[in-house]
Amino acid sequence: MGVVLGLCLGVVASLRPGEARAQEPSSAEGPTQEALREAWGHREAGRRHSLGEEGGDPEGFERCAEAHVALYEAYPDSDRADMLLWNAAECAGAAGLHAREVELRERMLERFPTSDYRRDTLFYLAEIMQAVAKFEDSAALYEQGAAEFPKDLAAAPALNNAYLFRLGLGDEEAAKANLDAWVRLYKRKDPKRAAAMVWSWQAQLESDRKRRAYAEKYLEVYGSKGGLDRRVHAEAVIAQIDWRSSCSEPLLLDLCVTLRRKAPHPSARALEEAQARVEARAAGKTRRRDWSPPATAALAESTWRRPKRCGDASLGVYTRHKRKARLAERAQTRFTKILKLVRQGGRKIEIPAEDPRRAQAFADAWAMALVYRADAALEDYLAMAMPSALDFHAPARPEGDGVSKADREAYRAAVRRRDESQRELGRFLEDKLRRGGELREAYAEVRSTRSLEWTLTAAHRSGMVSLSFGEQLAGAAVPRGLRSRDQVESYCEALQDVSVPLVEQAADAYVYCVDRATQYQYFVPAARDCERLLAQLRPFHGMSPIVELLGEPGYPPGEGPTRLQVAGLIAEDPTAPKE
């Protein structure tokens, strides 16, 4: 145990700076001095043996323990009988007889409830039980020691150990009681330390209702006493719960949005059409990009039917749902408050380097506030409706003597509709592109927090800004006024052309998201969605072509080309005929 034995015990170290000291009893009070010196001599012989000195005895500690036990049993009512049991337990521990040591210390607690050795015995036993993984027994002893000696220096560490053991054992009620007792010791003399301990408990709470109430109580009692970073964390816990609760619909990665998108499963006919488009592009006959199915695939049917939407079901349709105004406003006000605290705190936010979890919690809270504040604007952005009466088709200019005045007027009206539609679409694009740029800038700010989880979430959101716009255009509902095939084709193709760069922009954001998640092996739900969407937009991202990896295929002699394809590793072709 590292404690000086004998008739004058030193101060107990570590958790046990105890005051218990063994004093030499007189022969009238119990054992004779000669008997005591003989028992102590066994301990000295064991010590010499352990140090490799002459006169040592390998069984010295064990003999010391039994000699003291014999003296105790001979003089059980001596006023120093507790000292005999204490020395016996110490010698048993030094001999490695831990079961015997536990037995003797437990006898000490039972037989001498007011002994000067009681404090040290309680904490010694607690440490022994901890060492042999009897955590429930250890916690009980720590609790008993702290309760009986609340002003002792070891009381707070004992309660801390008991708290951790009870928590690990799943006894939350006892753990909370230990935490409260610990806080009572420090609340006045060290409020910062008490606040830190109090805040640590919130991670154990499972329900949002309990976590929110606990965070509010913490802020009410401690405010910034536990550090500005913990205040920010507490504010973020409340704000996140309120923001999520403000939406009555199932959340889409915390957005109050519903997304309808079917995974593309091309039919044999669709594959044939895709091959035809590839050949047409190779021949320079079309400008269409192949990031998604053709906008006018439905028009290829032999009997044309007016489609309801451009594109197909693989293009996403986003529906924004209204949040509960009061709850959402309260959450956004708190997010703004968090960002103000961070700006004003500056260098005052000091987190010890040896506490990375605390630093991460602060970074996550700060980044979360940035993301959710931008999310409010993103939801409005997703709700922006396209102009509903666009028509980009103008028939061929009527020429010749037989053209009637009505035909000429119809043509001019069609041109006016087309030009006005182009201007109206231009205004819509300008407004939405401006808002999209502002959103991407807001999400880019999250990188400065160094929160990996929320940086990935922000990258996913940036991709959504561009992809949702591209899909809104490419999968737009066909206006009711467009009745002819030519009108519908002109409408869908015009929007398809505008959507292509937006989808490419989204793919770039997903590349960043997936690359960072792969680099740090950190795949939160947002990163998984980035991966899924990137696989659709750029199926071969991160994959080297087989030819690049292995070179051109070679063939065995007689089964194909006989010349070996040299990849730079072989100086010459060994199959070539010798000259």
Side-chain angles (χ1 to χ4, degrees), residues 379-391:
E379 290 178 4
D380 291 340
Y381 172 88
L382 294 173
M384 291 179 67
M386 279 186 56
S388 58
L390 301 179
D391 184 356

Side-chain angles (χ1 to χ4, degrees), residues 381-409:
Y381 172 88
L382 294 173
M384 291 179 67
M386 279 186 56
S388 58
L390 301 179
D391 184 356
F392 302 113
H393 176 70
R397 182 185 185 91
E399 296 179 354
D401 297 336
V403 177
S404 66
K405 182 178 179 180
D407 289 340
R408 295 183 185 277
E409 184 58 36

Side-chain angles (χ1 to χ4, degrees), residues 495-533:
L495 297 180
Q496 171 81 8
D497 289 342
V498 178
S499 72
V500 170
L502 290 167
V503 176
E504 290 298 316
Q505 192 176 52
D508 290 340
Y510 295 139
V511 166
Y512 174 85
C513 176
V514 171
D515 286 352
R516 294 291 81 73
T518 303
Q519 179 182 354
Y520 295 103
Q521 291 297 292
Y522 197 80
F523 287 91
V524 292
R528 288 295 184 193
D529 202 46
C530 288
E531 191 175 38
R532 180 182 62 81
L533 292 168

Side-chain angles (χ1 to χ4, degrees), residues 529-550:
D529 202 46
C530 288
E531 191 175 38
R532 180 182 62 81
L533 292 168
L534 184 59
Q536 294 180 19
L537 300 179
R538 293 182 184 172
F540 298 105
H541 171 71
M543 298 174 59
S544 298
I546 293 296
V547 170
E548 183 179 320
L549 290 173
L550 303 178

Side-chain angles (χ1 to χ4, degrees), residues 379-569:
E379 290 178 4
D380 291 340
Y381 172 88
L382 294 173
M384 291 179 67
M386 279 186 56
S388 58
L390 301 179
D391 184 356
F392 302 113
H393 176 70
R397 182 185 185 91
E399 296 179 354
D401 297 336
V403 177
S404 66
K405 182 178 179 180
D407 289 340
R408 295 183 185 277
E409 184 58 36
Y411 169 74
R412 286 193 290 270
V415 171
R416 286 195 297 271
R417 284 197 306 271
R418 181 198 64 192
D419 295 344
E420 179 55 34
S421 294
Q422 290 174 345
R423 286 191 292 270
E424 191 172 358
L425 177 63
R427 290 191 292 269
F428 171 73
L429 292 175
E430 182 180 2
D431 185 27
K432 191 152 186 177
L433 288 171
R434 175 184 57 78
R435 294 193 188 187
E438 292 172 354
L439 280 169
R440 283 189 294 274
E441 288 180 6
Y443 288 124
E445 189 179 349
V446 177
R447 297 184 192 179
S448 64
T449 67
R450 298 186 179 182
S451 167
L452 183 55
E453 176 180 355
W454 290 98
T455 295
L456 295 174
T457 301
H460 176 271
R461 296 284 205 271
S462 294
M464 181 182 287
V465 168
S466 301
L467 182 61
S468 64
F469 194 8
E471 290 184 315
Q472 180 184 25
L473 295 168
V478 176
R480 292 183 178 182
L482 306 186
R483 310 305 304 174
S484 73
R485 179 171 180 169
D486 288 340
Q487 285 179 308
V488 173
E489 284 184 341
S490 297
Y491 176 79
C492 291
E493 287 180 357
L495 297 180
Q496 171 81 8
D497 289 342
V498 178
S499 72
V500 170
L502 290 167
V503 176
E504 290 298 316
Q505 192 176 52
D508 290 340
Y510 295 139
V511 166
Y512 174 85
C513 176
V514 171
D515 286 352
R516 294 291 81 73
T518 303
Q519 179 182 354
Y520 295 103
Q521 291 297 292
Y522 197 80
F523 287 91
V524 292
R528 288 295 184 193
D529 202 46
C530 288
E531 191 175 38
R532 180 182 62 81
L533 292 168
L534 184 59
Q536 294 180 19
L537 300 179
R538 293 182 184 172
F540 298 105
H541 171 71
M543 298 174 59
S544 298
I546 293 296
V547 170
E548 183 179 320
L549 290 173
L550 303 178
E552 295 290 341
Y555 298 87
E559 297 184 14
T562 57
R563 296 282 299 177
L564 185 70
Q565 300 293 328
V566 179
L569 299 178

Side-chain angles (χ1 to χ4, degrees), residues 27 35 98 212 224 245 317 320 361 384 405 444 524 527:
S27 59
H98 298 299
R212 192 187 188 287
S224 298
S245 301
V317 178
R320 192 274 302 268
M384 291 179 67
K405 182 178 179 180
V524 292

